[in-house]
Amino acid sequence: MQRFADLSSLPAEPNPFVGREADVDELVHLMRVSRIVTLCGAGGIGKTRLALRLAARLACADAGGVCVSELADLEKGQLREQVAAALGISGELVETIGDRRVLLLLDNCEPVIGECAELCRDLLRACPGVTVLATSREPLRVPGETVWRVPPLSVGEAGEGAESEAVRLFVARATAARPGFELTGETRPLVVELCQALDGLPLAIELAAAMVRVLSVGQLVERLDDRFRLLAGGARTAPARHRTLRAAVDWSYRLLTPQERLLLRRTAAFRSAWTLDLAEWVCSGPGLAEEEVLPRLCDLVDKSLVVLDGEVAGHARYRLLETVREYALEQLAESGEEAELRRRHLTALARLAAGFRESLAPGVRTSWPVIERYVNLFDGLKAEVNSACDWSIAIGMPETALTLLTDIRFLLIGSGRKLDSTERLDRLLALDAPQVPQGLRGRATIVRGELALAAGDFEPGLRHVRAGLELCSAAGDVYGTALGTIALAQLTGEQAAIDRALDTARRSGDLVLESLAQATRARYGLHQGRLHEARRAYQEVLSISEELDNHYGRTVGHIGLAQVARRSGDPGTARRHYESGLSLLKHVDARQQIVSCLAGLGRVALDEGDLAEARARLTEALLLSRDAGLRAGIARRLEAWAALVTAEGDHRRAVLLVAAAVTLGGRQPDARTEDVLRPARESLGEAVVGVLWAEGTRFTADQAVACALEGDLPEPPAVPVVPVRQDSRLTAREQEIAELVARGLSNRGIADELVISPATVARHVANILAKLGFATRTQIAAWVIGSR
């Protein structure tokens, strides 16, 4: 019987193994229950290092040996001979191994993937003591195989002072390249940004870290646009495919079939992600029939070049790692197909948008699940829409992009997300493109005005809507005219404009537009105190939306009826409507409406004295507003929070929050503001309230949200350092007057208190300001309070 070679030793690791602790633990367990595990992943993702670390763990706990066989440079027909040599045996592998226990590590199986599959099948059938651990860009596809996709290293902050895996790896390798390297407050966010841009790919991170011997981290981030040239300094002793980032991707690309290469480079037309339908519409063409897209896409997923990235609207979503996409973009540019692919990309998205528009056409009764899928689909493809518009701008042909944006106007305006289509719409409308029909330009201009209105920019909104309405009227565009008339009514609130909007909407025969017109009538009726009119109009909105099975419209109706009920002193009815509205939008990210329902429920709870429920609901509403970047929404939520903390007795925080709410909302204080300030003055005094108000008006949105949610308060006003000079010391009378200023008294009040003339008080106050170097009475008050 032949003797095996010594299988007790594994290749020494050249540097410390960083991260993947949980991955190794999971794989150790997996290897105990599966006889063949294949680690799959893109080139440079760390399959070999992970496999060697796993093999070392298993070797320590197992009496059998470990045999490592490197296959990356193998020619076809040499596999069995290579494995036998690694085992130190000759003859037929299956018979020679027999019952011997051995862990066989087959590294980089891609060049001989078919032979590897056959060998593993034979060994697993006839040799009960053999366990196989393989690394490959694609599965072996043998019976009993467990495929484990090697993930990128985590790239975000790990929390509690710990760094993410990617950052830890960068620091470890950077320290080796430049002793003394360490993270600082300045470099930490740059390293995180770098690791995110490199997709958490270990090879790319190691190559980047090696460059700190000649470049700063900031320079590395700046030069990542040319990552293949930048990351070209790997170790001379590393395999050729790992010496540069380009070599790693090149090696994977050369192993693809012609059709796989064709599809890979064409998917680079997608900026962020795509679905199968989009891939079939955009990537099919010469050399790749539409029916061939799915099998080739499966091949690229198997080979770890395309990533399956969850689902969007019930469709599988795919994407490329950024490094792979940059390589594919180079191949696409060299192919001469890029212009045609960009055109197909825009056309495919416009085709989806047209489907959404048609689902809302007059006379069509589309079920809500269909509308819901469109909403979620475009939410997931927002980056693709922006990319398509950018290309239209670049080539100076805006017509298709303008059609796309106007077809999804309800999604742009009603979503409550960051309105990032505004700038692109401006640039599209600014292009000198006489081929754009007048009606289309008019509709797009109206949408631009509606976006301005949604962002709280009244003047530009009114200007754009009027211009768009004029264009639509001149073109005889009935739908666009109705749309513009409604938008004008929304902006002005004039009764005549509202009546025209409702009449125009009814004549158009479009129930969606009629619902919008009724909602406009209801909103202004509510704001102007005509509650019966508002209730009737919101009931019309609800009735029309129920007929259309439009959950979004039904939610608008419920929110409006809840607001009417709350204003009428009926909290029970208000709560029922808010809860009904909230239940309708469970599967759509309509944040503006969800926030309105949550905030409404918080206000109702506050009215009823249930402070715990109010805090819970208002917290949800404020978090959603913050995450969506809704500045106006944040301001409204902060005002509700000010009322809440007033009820809880925290007047200091209440003043800060209401001041921030007024400033962020760009409005003047009103009766609701006074409801917060009045009890604060009684509790804290006029001077302290003045200091707090001034501080709150300087809050950023993030600071104000932190103040509400976490109780973060600014440091108490610093006591100014008064120079020790005779003319800087306040006289006894001036000190007395400063104390009265801190109590909030006016000059007349101080004069009455001290029985002196107001002119004398004014002179003393001027002297105090000059001696202390202050400009306002509020600063005097802060100094007095801080000196106590």
Side-chain angles (χ1 to χ4, degrees):
M1 179 177 178
Q2 293 193 44
R3 294 178 59 83
F4 278 60
D6 181 9
L7 304 181
S8 60
S9 61
L10 287 165
E13 293 184 295
N15 45 31
F17 185 85
V18 178
R20 298 208 188 278
E21 293 85 358
D23 292 344
V24 174
D25 290 341
E26 179 181 338
L27 284 165
V28 167
H29 172 73
L30 195 58
M31 291 295 296
R32 290 180 181 138
V33 297
S34 178
R35 291 185 61 203
I36 176 168
V37 172
T38 304
L39 306 184
C40 285
I45 206 162
K47 300 182 295 294
T48 297
R49 277 305 288 271
L50 179 58
L52 289 171
R53 172 53 61 108
L54 175 59
R57 279 275 298 272
L58 293 170
C60 293
D62 199 308
V66 179
C67 171
V68 180
S69 189
E70 167 57 53
L71 312 178
D73 301 318
L74 210 61
E75 299 290 338
K76 290 183 179 179
Q78 298 177 345
L79 174 65
R80 294 184 182 244
E81 179 182 342
Q82 171 84 358
V83 173
L87 287 166
I89 61 176
S90 60
E92 213 286 324
L93 269 176
V94 174
E95 292 180 1
T96 306
I97 293 174
D99 294 334
R100 173 71 185 265
R101 290 184 62 187
V102 61
L103 169 61
L104 184 59
L105 198 170
L106 301 177
D107 193 26
N108 294 300
C109 298
E110 299 88 340
V112 285
I113 189 82
E115 293 179 40
C116 283
E118 292 175 1
L119 174 62
C120 291
R121 178 200 60 199
D122 295 345
L123 290 173
L124 295 174
R125 281 179 181 173
C127 304
V130 169
T131 304
V132 177
L133 175 61
T135 73
S136 175
R137 282 162 171 74
E138 60 182 307
L140 301 183
R141 298 198 188 97
V142 296
E145 178 186 27
T146 298
V147 178
W148 200 86
R149 297 280 176 184
V150 179
L153 295 176
S154 62
V155 294
E157 293 292 342
E160 298 183 0
E163 305 292 349
S164 68
E165 292 177 326
V167 171
R168 286 163 51 201
L169 177 64
F170 182 91
V171 172
R173 302 301 187 253
T175 303
R178 192 178 82 195
F181 175 87
E182 61 181 16
L183 287 183
T184 65
E186 182 180 352
T187 60
R188 178 177 282 103
L190 292 173
V191 172
V192 172
E193 181 182 351
L194 182 74
C195 292
Q196 289 172 339
L198 295 174
D199 303 305
L201 201 66
L203 174 62
I205 292 169
E206 295 205 12
L207 291 171
M211 295 299 294
V212 301
R213 68 189 188 277
V214 290
L215 295 175
S216 70
V217 178
Q219 287 176 301
L220 285 172
V221 172
E222 290 171 1
R223 292 168 178 263
L224 269 180
D225 287 343
D226 192 6
R227 66 184 65 198
F228 292 119
R229 186 166 64 88
L230 175 66
L231 305 182
R236 292 188 181 91
T237 56
R241 64 185 183 281
H242 284 173
R243 289 176 196 163
T244 69
L245 189 60
R246 178 179 295 281
V249 185
D250 266 336
W251 194 69
S252 294
Y253 191 70
R254 288 197 302 270
L255 293 171
L256 300 179
T257 66
Q259 277 198 333
E260 289 167 349
R261 293 180 188 179
L262 195 61
L263 179 57
L264 182 66
R265 72 171 183 246
R266 288 177 179 175
T267 59
F270 298 105
R271 178 63 190 90
S272 174
W274 69 88
T275 63
L276 175 60
D277 287 343
L278 284 173
E280 289 175 334
W281 296 343
V282 175
C283 300
S284 60
L288 186 66
E290 186 172 318
E291 60 270 19
E292 289 296 322
V293 171
L294 175 57
R296 298 297 77 77
L297 186 59
C298 292
D299 292 341
L300 292 177
V301 170
D302 283 343
K303 291 176 169 61
S304 306
L305 289 169
V306 169
V307 178
L308 180 62
D309 191 25
E311 293 186 3
V312 53
H315 295 261
R317 176 170 56 194
Y318 308 92
R319 67 178 176 88
L320 296 175
L321 294 178
E322 193 59 32
T323 296
V324 176
R325 182 173 183 270
E326 286 204 15
Y327 184 91
L329 274 172
E330 291 182 0
Q331 305 302 315
L332 180 60
E334 292 174 6
S335 72
E337 293 185 321
E338 185 170 8
E340 173 62 15
L341 263 291
R342 299 288 187 193
R343 184 193 67 79
R344 291 171 68 95
H345 177 261
L346 172 61
T347 302
L349 290 165
R351 177 176 172 180
L352 280 179
F356 175 67
R357 182 201 66 220
E358 290 162 7
S359 70
L360 296 175
V364 176
R365 297 295 184 269
T366 305
S367 67
W368 177 251
V370 175
I371 303 295
E372 186 178 81
R373 281 198 294 274
Y374 275 114
V375 172
N376 291 327
L377 185 61
F378 274 99
D379 186 45
L381 297 175
K382 189 184 302 181
E384 298 308 314
V385 172
N386 290 339
S387 176
C389 291
D390 289 341
W391 183 74
S392 296
I393 293 165
I395 64 170
M397 298 179 65
E399 185 174 350
T400 304
L402 287 173
T403 303
L404 162 61
L405 293 178
T406 55
D407 283 349
I408 60 171
R409 61 170 295 280
F410 289 112
L411 305 181
L412 297 178
I413 296 159
S415 65
R417 302 172 184 85
K418 292 182 179 178
L419 303 173
D420 52 4
S421 299
T422 303
E423 182 187 352
R424 289 178 173 86
L425 190 50
D426 279 338
R427 292 164 65 195
L428 287 164
L429 287 169
L431 290 173
D432 182 15
Q435 74 274 18
V436 176
Q438 192 176 32
L440 173 59
R441 184 175 291 279
R443 289 192 194 190
T445 305
I446 290 167
V447 172
R448 176 62 182 86
E450 291 175 306
L451 288 171
L453 174 60
D457 299 328
F458 179 85
E459 290 301 330
L462 193 60
R463 185 175 67 253
H464 285 298
V465 166
R466 282 177 172 159
L469 182 55
E470 184 177 339
L471 288 169
C472 287
S473 298
D477 186 332
V478 176
Y479 181 85
T481 301
L483 206 61
T485 306
I486 293 169
L488 191 62
Q490 290 173 334
L491 280 157
T492 66
E494 297 171 356
Q495 192 59 47
I498 293 173
D499 291 340
R500 281 196 305 272
L502 190 54
D503 180 61
T504 308
R506 284 170 173 162
R507 285 191 285 108
S508 75
D510 192 317
L511 287 176
V512 174
L513 292 185
E514 184 177 342
S515 173
L516 287 174
Q518 289 285 8
T520 305
R521 178 188 292 277
R523 182 161 63 89
Y524 280 101
L526 177 65
H527 289 172
Q528 294 164 9
R530 301 191 302 275
L531 298 186
H532 291 299
E533 177 186 329
R535 183 182 292 109
R536 286 195 302 272
Y538 276 128
Q539 285 171 342
E540 283 294 323
V541 172
L542 189 57
S543 176
I544 292 171
S545 299
E546 285 174 344
E547 180 182 346
L548 295 176
D549 191 27
N550 186 330
H551 288 204
Y552 182 89
R554 288 169 63 188
T555 299
V556 171
H558 279 300
I559 291 172
L561 289 169
Q563 291 171 334
V564 171
R566 183 167 174 260
R567 290 275 294 274
S568 303
D570 186 355
T573 299
R575 185 187 303 104
R576 285 195 298 274
H577 279 298
Y578 280 130
E579 288 173 345
S580 295
L582 196 59
S583 68
L584 288 167
L585 297 176
K586 292 179 179 177
H587 305 297
V588 176
D589 190 11
R591 298 186 192 181
Q592 214 160 35
Q593 285 63 44
I594 293 171
V595 166
S596 294
C597 291
L598 290 169
L601 288 168
R603 283 286 197 177
V604 170
L606 190 57
D607 292 343
E608 296 180 323
D610 188 347
L611 301 187
E613 173 69 8
R615 176 175 282 273
R617 294 297 193 174
L618 292 178
T619 296
E620 291 181 82
L622 183 56
L623 285 171
L624 279 174
S625 295
R626 181 198 65 186
D627 293 345
L630 302 172
R631 184 184 176 91
I634 291 171
R636 289 193 293 272
R637 305 296 83 79
L638 290 172
E639 188 175 57
W641 262 90
L644 170 64
V645 295
T646 294
E648 293 174 336
D650 190 348
H651 298 292
R652 175 177 167 81
R653 189 146 55 118
V655 176
L656 290 166
L657 293 177
V658 78
V662 168
T663 305
L664 293 171
R667 61 178 182 81
Q668 295 299 315
D670 55 18
R672 291 171 299 180
T673 311
E674 192 59 28
D675 288 341
V676 173
L677 295 181
R678 190 184 306 109
R681 291 192 193 101
E682 294 172 359
S683 174
L684 304 173
E686 184 75 44
V688 174
V689 168
V691 172
L692 292 170
W693 179 273
E695 187 69 35
T697 59
R698 291 194 291 269
F699 273 0
T700 65
D702 286 342
Q703 287 172 329
V705 170
C707 180
L709 298 178
E710 301 163 24
D712 289 356
L713 299 179
E715 292 295 323
V719 179
V721 178
V722 182
V724 185
R725 299 197 312 268
Q726 184 62 37
D727 63 358
S728 73
R729 295 174 181 169
L730 302 187
T731 65
R733 176 62 88 180
E734 288 167 349
Q735 184 69 47
E736 188 178 20
I737 289 174
E739 291 284 349
L740 294 174
V741 168
R743 283 171 51 191
L745 272 65
S746 65
N747 284 0
R748 169 63 67 180
I750 295 172
D752 292 343
E753 181 86 10
L754 300 179
V755 195
I756 58 178
S757 72
T760 300
V761 174
R763 189 166 56 251
H764 280 306
V765 170
N767 288 338
I768 294 168
L769 291 171
K771 286 183 177 182
L772 300 181
F774 293 157
T776 67
R777 296 167 73 93
T778 299
Q779 289 173 301
I780 295 174
W783 178 78
V784 170
I785 293 167
S787 300
R788 289 172 180 166

